[in-house]
Structures are given as C-alpha cells and as structure tokens.
Amino acid sequence: MTDLAHIRNFAIIAHIDHGKSTLADRLIERCGGVEARDMKAQLLDSMDIERERGITIKAQTVRLQYTAASGEVYELNLMDTPGHVDFAYEVSRSLSACEGSLLLVDASQGVEAQTLANVYKAIDVNHEIIVVLNKIDLPAAEPEKVRQQIEDVIGLDASEAIEVSAKTGVGIDSVLEALVARLPPPQGKLEDPLKALLVDSWYDPYLGVVILMRVYDGCLRKGMRVRMMATGSEHTIERVGYFAPKAVSVDEIGPGELGFITAGIKAVADTNVGDTLTETRRPTSAALSGFKPSVPVVFCGLFPVEANEFPELKESLARLRLNDSSFHFEQESSPALGFGFRCGFLGLLHLEIVQERLEREFDLNLITTAPSVVYRAHMRNGTALELHNPVDWPDPSQIDRVEEPWIKATIMLPDEFLGSVLKLCEERRGVQIDLTYVGARAVATYRLPLNEVVFDFYDRLKSVSRGYASFDYQLDGYEQGDLVKMSILVNDEPVDALAMIVNRKNAESRGRSICERLKDLIPRHMFKIPIQAAIGGKVVARETISAMRKDVLAKCYGGDVSRKRKLLDKQKKGKKRMRTIGRVDIPQEAFIAALRLSET
C-alpha cells in the first residue's frame, strides 16, 4: 500500500482533438506502463467505435509508477476523459475522483468552448490545475499568444504553462515533474471505517459486474463483506486490483487509491454510479455526496425490428446503462412498432453512439424514432403534462399553452466566419446575449430553443465555419412556444416513428424536407404511394412515389383501340384495389436518413 504523500490522482481535460489520449500514451510510455511491443496509438481508447471515430467516449483510468528527479517513487492515477459536449457527464464523474487536472490547450487553436466548460467543472470541485500547451511542433503553433488567451478568457495564470508535443514526446518529463511537485496528495485515514466512491461499472460475461472504486478512508480487501449504502445490497469481494493499463490483482487498495473490485454481482440494479461502498461489519457514519444525476436532453424510442427480440433488448439496455450512467430508459409501447423503450440521451452524438453500441456489442436490429426534447403542455383544466414523445400529444382543444426548453450556447470561432454563424443562429430562432472578442477570435453567446439544436445544428455549425467553430451549451429554463404536432402519413397511414413536434412557422419546410427524403428512400411498389406531412387534418406537404408498371399492352399487336383501353382499365382497377389492401415496407435506413435534415 502506497504512502498518501506519494500518490497523485489527476484527470486530463481539454477540447475535442487537443491531444488528451496522445498525451496519456506518452505518459504511459515514459512510466513503462506497457512493453514497447504492446504500445499502440490511443492505447486507452479500448472500444472499436472510439478508435474508428477518433474520439474518446468512456473515461479510462490507469495507474503508473514514476521515479521523480529526487529519486522518490510516486503512484500516479491518470484518468483520460472525453472532450465532446455529449460526454460531459463522464468528465464530471472523473474529476470527482481526482485532486488535480492537466488542462491541455492546442498551441495552434487556443482556447475552445469545451476547454472553458471542462476547466469550470474542475474549478467547481476545487482542483489544482496545471496548464499544458500541446502541439508546439506545429508550424502554426503560437504558445505566447495562447498563454495570453488562457489568462484573458479563463483567468488562470499561464506563466508556468508547460510546452509539450504529445506526438513527439517533447516536454513529457516536465509534465511528470509538475504533477508530483504541484498537485496535492489525497487525504484519508487507513484506520477509519471503509468509505469508497463507486466511479464507474461495466458488465463482464465471466466476472459479472466490475466496479471502479476511489477509496477515501479505510481499505478494500479480498474476502471483505461490503455494503452499497444507497441500494443496501451486500456482497463479498472476490477480486481486488488496478489497471496498469492491464488489470493487475492485489490483496488490498488503500486510501487515496483508484482500483476495481468484483464480487460476483449479477444484478445490474445493485450498482449505482456515485454510491458509497462501506464495510458491513464496521460501516462509515455518513455516505459520500456522490454525483449530481445527469439530466437527459434528447429522447427517442428504440424498438426491436423483430418483436421476439424485446427481452434481449431489455437486458442489453440494462447492461449498457451500467457502463453509461448518463443513459436513461423506460418501457413504452407503440401501435405501429410494438413494445420498446423510451430512451434519454445527453445529445445526438450520444444517441448515435448508444445505438451503434447496441447493434455491435449485442447484435440487435433496432428501429429508432424521431429524436425529440421534453415539452411541457399546460392544459385548460390547470394540469401540466411532460411530453417526451409526439404520440403523447394531447387534444389541441384542451391545451392552454406549450413550453419548450431553451439553452444558453457559447460559440467560439475565428472572426472571418462570424457572419455565417450568426445567420445560422438567427435561422434557428436564436437570441443573441453577448458578443466579445479575444484577439482574432469571437465569443458569441446565444439563447436557442433546444429543439432547433438537437437535429443537425452541430453539423451545420462545423460546415459554415469549415470546422473552426466550437460549441458548448447548458440548459436555461423553459419558454412558451408556438408548437404543433406534425404527423407523417405513408399511403394514408400515420407512421409513429416519424411524428415530431415542431415550431409552426418551420412546420411546412420541415415536412416538405422529410417527404422529399422519404420519396427517395422508400422503394417503389406495384401501386402509387402518397407521402404526406399533416398538422391535425391539414396536409402541409406531399410527395408521391409512382407505381411500378407492368406493360399489359406488350401482347397487343395492332387491333382496335378499345381492346387496349380495356386492358389498361383492368390494370388501373387492380392497382386501386392493391393500394387499399397493400402494405408499404419502409426500410430501417429510411427512418434514420429521413431524420438527418441537413439543410443546404
């Protein structure tokens, strides 16, 4: 067990693509965490989907042994965190388990929106922050200018900022020396009753639930009987260990240390992230404060393509929820799609990642309904309803008013793209709060309806700014809006999965866009298929898929025209009958593609 004075717990925080995972690679390499032959880029990004997309989704932990210049050996517990706004909850959880942070800033791009958001999270939990300027090997790097920007925008002293290149390894020793010299050691007492925080958990098919713990007081030992304070469930610890970055088993984990335990836990409900673990025989008097629960921002329905896959989907969602505590779900049923789940996410990328993980890791085929946000309908009788799903939209004659959620968005961008970005925000019903400059970079603060942001705002923002704009947001209350439910009818049958709640003035253009897209996505049938967007009984947009035609006149060589007319009329009657009894098959990719309304 390591002496507390020689332990340092820290997280790496930064904006997307500023080099967090690459810096983690260099630190692991320098401390000899893995053999040279086992080293690979973005070592801690273990999921295939992370490596393919080049983003960190799950915060990962690793324990390193570092011999300082003074000759003393230190235990460093490193947490590599995600940068994308949709995974901000992962960042806040990781920061709660540490005493300090490495704030990584790209020396060529400077301070971005998520740099600000993440550093404020670190300040909230009283972290000691070490500023690191990365990518100094780039020709466009301007370290002095970025130092000044950090002081102006964030208010941190950047005079001692360390200049590094995580790619080439320059400055890595300076980072390690700063970690042991400037970060405080953790506090805790070995003789006190066990008090440990449940930071993360995931399901292993061989070991059951694996739990990542941060020990504050006492120690975790193999064979110890422990209790989860929130759920009251009791378990006997079977295995104790830490990640270096491979799993290493030990006899015990002491105060200030991060490690994992397994206890043959099969029930996913027994492990709540943020819960406090204590010894059954000698419990601690008070639980730790844990984490603030995450608030889902975007909702959509997930339904199995085959109805008999529903139990499998239920189990898969429970296991995924164990590994991603910002994901929420509850059971629902739809007349068209059968039994499924209403799921809550922190954003559209989060939704996409969860859907892809369900399909890859659990081999499921899913139908995803249109993403929507939570609206509040105030009825004439004085009651208020929360609307997660367009299908729940009440009788319009009984509604007094409908409120929609708004966000406060911070957009940082080079001055040359300001006009395009402001135009985009105005199109999305945005209200400008502030516009300031830091050098050649503009910082625009807007209030926007969340409904206008969840679909494709981020993609459009990147498009109009050529990828240079960065975006961060937080919820900012509810406001009354002129909202209506828009139904999509295919062959006069409403399609639940495509129904959506929209602002009245945007309803026609949104409806036309979906109808045009569905016309290209739904294959032609033997009969004509009308596609309509309707608000109540009023159709606001329509497209028609023409029927495939069999040439019934091919066998007629000359002869009287009435014979040809007779055959055509017979075909026409058959198609009319077929349209009334025929069923239109909408392929799964049509649902997803129709909702990607990337307006050009």
Side-chain angles (χ1 to χ4, degrees), residues 150-397:
I150 291 167
E151 293 189 357
D152 293 345
V153 179
I154 305 174
L156 284 176
D157 178 14
S159 58
E160 292 185 30
I162 304 160
E163 295 183 14
V164 305
S165 166
K167 188 177 177 183
T168 61
V170 172
I172 297 302
D173 283 335
S174 304
V175 173
L176 288 162
E177 284 299 319
L179 282 170
V180 300
R182 288 160 58 182
L183 290 192
Q187 304 296 313
K189 292 181 180 175
L190 180 61
E191 61 274 10
D192 282 3
L194 172 66
K195 187 188 282 186
L197 180 70
L198 202 160
V199 179
D200 199 3
S201 56
W202 56 94
Y203 192 84
D204 184 287
Y206 302 104
L207 302 169
V209 178
V210 182
I211 303 170
L212 184 68
M213 307 296 307
R214 158 69 202 268
V215 180
Y216 285 87
D217 292 315
C219 80
L220 276 169
R221 290 189 194 87
K222 192 175 173 181
M224 182 185 269
R225 187 80 179 157
V226 292
R227 187 174 88 239
M228 307 277 182
M229 292 185 78
T231 61
S233 60
E234 294 188 7
H235 308 278
T236 302
I237 297 174
E238 294 174 357
R239 188 184 177 202
V240 177
Y242 61 86
F243 295 101
K246 290 179 179 174
V248 177
S249 291
V250 290
D251 290 329
E252 58 184 21
I253 301 173
E257 294 186 313
L258 276 154
F260 71 88
I261 61 164
T262 62
I265 304 169
K266 295 288 182 284
V268 171
D270 287 350
T271 54
N272 291 343
V273 167
D275 199 351
T276 303
L277 194 79
T278 190
E279 192 178 357
T280 306
R281 189 171 51 82
R282 196 167 66 111
T284 183
S285 54
L288 294 159
S289 56
F291 314 120
K292 275 189 263 179
S294 67
V295 179
V297 168
V298 181
F299 288 84
C300 86
L302 290 179
F303 294 85
V305 172
E306 300 293 332
N308 59 357
E309 287 185 354
F310 175 76
E312 205 178 318
L313 173 61
K314 187 175 183 178
E315 190 180 343
S316 304
L317 288 173
R319 289 186 181 179
L320 193 67
R321 168 87 174 86
L322 182 71
N323 188 228
D324 182 357
S325 54
S326 56
F327 166 60
H328 297 257
F329 67 93
E330 59 184 42
Q331 196 170 321
E332 71 165 359
S333 64
S334 150
L337 301 171
F339 287 104
F341 292 90
R342 190 82 192 146
C343 304
F345 308 89
L346 296 183
L348 226 54
L349 176 67
H350 189 205
L351 184 159
E352 219 174 288
I353 296 293
V354 166
Q355 188 187 345
E356 202 164 325
R357 284 185 70 186
L358 285 167
E359 287 173 356
R360 283 184 185 207
E361 296 173 25
F362 303 101
D363 199 24
L364 294 166
N365 288 323
L366 300 170
I367 293 171
T368 313
T369 65
S372 72
V373 298
V374 182
Y375 299 93
R376 285 182 188 159
H378 293 268
M379 311 304 286
R380 294 190 190 281
N381 62 7
T383 58
L385 303 174
E386 281 205 342
L387 306 175
H388 294 252
N389 190 335
V391 177
D392 301 333
W393 190 262
D395 179 358
S397 64

Side-chain angles (χ1 to χ4, degrees), residues 25 28-29 31-40 43 64 244-246:
D25 287 351
I28 292 167
E29 209 170 48
C31 295
V34 292
E35 298 287 333
R37 65 173 182 269
D38 294 329
M39 196 63 204
K40 60 182 178 181
L43 184 73
L64 304 170
K246 290 179 179 174

Side-chain angles (χ1 to χ4, degrees), residues 526-528 547-548 552 566-582:
M526 291 303 292
F527 51 92
K528 191 165 65 174
M548 287 194 287
V552 291
K566 192 177 173 183
L567 286 169
L568 287 170
D569 286 346
K570 188 179 177 184
Q571 184 188 40
K572 196 173 177 183
K573 278 180 189 170
K575 285 192 179 290
K576 192 174 179 183
R577 180 172 167 272
M578 199 184 286
R579 199 191 144 195
T580 60
I581 60 167

